[in-house]
């Protein structure tokens, strides 16, 4: 006895009518259909889901996140979420894993979410930023661009993977001590 839970953004009934999806498979899957609108149409669900994912990944990564500032919530609400809940979950996992301290910062979110909620542009290239912070931002950006692939991120930064792991551990240690 097996129960299959499947999700799709396609209208399977239409695909069956057009002979693009097997009717027998559709009828096996279509026992209890649940139709949920995409996350971008359920803005009110973003904060509770974010809190759930923060708790989940904080426990898994042995971290404490006490606060989710309004700017982070607004950035999350402003995003279109083409990847729906899985994209939100991945963004929160990344933010918790690479975050700095007990507060979830907007800078810990993937780069496509950093400035979504404000008209303020990203920091200009002539802004003076401590070297360690520049390094941290570069590492986070490389990890985001490589979809979390640490080896690829290390290569794009021109450093060894051991160095990358050491830096990530260093950031985590600093987060725990602040």
């Amino acid at each position: 006895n097996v129960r299959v839970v499947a999700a799709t953004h396609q209208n399977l009934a239409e695909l069956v009518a057009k002979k693009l999806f097997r009717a027998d498979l559709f009828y096996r899957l279509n026992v209890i259909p649940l139709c949920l609108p995409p996350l971008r149409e359920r803005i009110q669900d973003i904060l509770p889901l974010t809190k759930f994912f923060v708790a989940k990944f904080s426990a898994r990564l042995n971290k404490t996140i006490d606060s989710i500032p309004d700017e982070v919530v607004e950035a999350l609400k402003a995003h279109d979420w083409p990847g729906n809940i899985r994209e939100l979950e991945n963004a929160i996992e990344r933010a918790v894993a690479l975050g700095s301290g007990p507060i979830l910062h907007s800078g810990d979110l993937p780069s496509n979410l950093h400035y979504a909620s404000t008209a303020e542009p990203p920091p200009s290239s002539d802004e003076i930023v401590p070297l360690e912070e520049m390094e941290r931002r570069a590492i986070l950006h490389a990890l985001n661009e490589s979809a979390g692939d640490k080896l690829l991120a290390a290569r794009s930064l021109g450093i060894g993977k051991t160095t990358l792991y050491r830096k990530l551990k260093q950031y985590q240690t600093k987060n725990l001590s602040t």
Side-chain angles (χ1 to χ4, degrees), residues 58-108:
S58 294
R60 182 180 295 168
L61 299 169
N62 198 24
K63 289 190 164 190
T64 301
I65 304 291
D66 297 329
S67 176
I68 305 170
D70 290 340
E71 69 178 32
V72 171
V73 174
E74 290 307 312
L76 294 172
K77 287 182 176 181
H79 187 60
D80 196 33
W81 300 109
N84 278 311
I85 293 175
R86 284 185 189 95
E87 182 184 4
L88 175 63
E89 181 177 19
N90 291 341
I92 299 304
E93 180 177 16
R94 176 188 186 280
V96 170
L98 301 175
S100 54
I103 299 172
L104 197 69
H105 296 286
S106 60
D108 299 325

Side-chain angles (χ1 to χ4, degrees), residues 53 57 61 63 87-100 104-114 136-148 168 175:
F53 291 135
F57 294 117
L61 299 169
K63 289 190 164 190
E87 182 184 4
L88 175 63
E89 181 177 19
N90 291 341
I92 299 304
E93 180 177 16
R94 176 188 186 280
V96 170
L98 301 175
S100 54
L104 197 69
H105 296 286
S106 60
D108 299 325
L109 297 170
S111 61
N112 61 328
L113 299 176
H114 287 190
R136 182 178 169 280
R137 289 180 187 179
I139 288 172
L140 291 176
H141 180 70
L143 284 167
N144 186 51
E145 292 299 311
S146 67
L168 291 172
N175 294 346

Side-chain angles (χ1 to χ4, degrees), residues 118-147:
T118 65
E120 182 183 323
S124 67
S125 59
D126 55 341
E127 175 190 3
I128 297 175
V129 179
L131 189 57
E132 186 176 11
E133 177 60 20
M134 286 180 62
E135 179 183 71
R136 182 178 169 280
R137 289 180 187 179
I139 288 172
L140 291 176
H141 180 70
L143 284 167
N144 186 51
E145 292 299 311
S146 67

Side-chain angles (χ1 to χ4, degrees), residues 121-178:
S124 67
S125 59
D126 55 341
E127 175 190 3
I128 297 175
V129 179
L131 189 57
E132 186 176 11
E133 177 60 20
M134 286 180 62
E135 179 183 71
R136 182 178 169 280
R137 289 180 187 179
I139 288 172
L140 291 176
H141 180 70
L143 284 167
N144 186 51
E145 292 299 311
S146 67
D149 183 330
K150 292 182 176 106
L151 183 58
L152 187 60
R155 283 185 189 150
S156 70
L157 291 165
I159 61 175
K161 71 175 184 175
T162 306
T163 302
L164 178 65
Y165 280 101
R166 183 174 41 81
K167 291 291 184 183
L168 291 172
K169 186 172 183 162
Q170 174 186 344
Y171 299 143
Q172 185 177 0
T173 303
K174 281 191 174 193
N175 294 346
L176 296 174
S177 66
T178 57

Side-chain angles (χ1 to χ4, degrees), residues 16-81:
V16 167
K18 294 178 184 176
K19 308 257 190 246
L20 297 172
F21 192 83
R22 287 179 32 196
D24 64 318
L25 181 57
F26 171 72
Y27 292 118
R28 286 187 186 273
L29 293 174
N30 198 34
V31 177
I32 303 174
L34 299 174
C35 297
L36 288 175
L39 188 56
R40 69 181 154 273
E41 294 176 16
R42 297 181 290 131
I43 303 294
Q44 73 280 4
D45 291 347
I46 290 176
L47 182 57
L49 285 167
T50 298
K51 288 179 178 180
F52 171 79
F53 291 135
V54 164
K56 173 183 173 180
F57 294 117
S58 294
R60 182 180 295 168
L61 299 169
N62 198 24
K63 289 190 164 190
T64 301
I65 304 291
D66 297 329
S67 176
I68 305 170
D70 290 340
E71 69 178 32
V72 171
V73 174
E74 290 307 312
L76 294 172
K77 287 182 176 181
H79 187 60
D80 196 33
W81 300 109

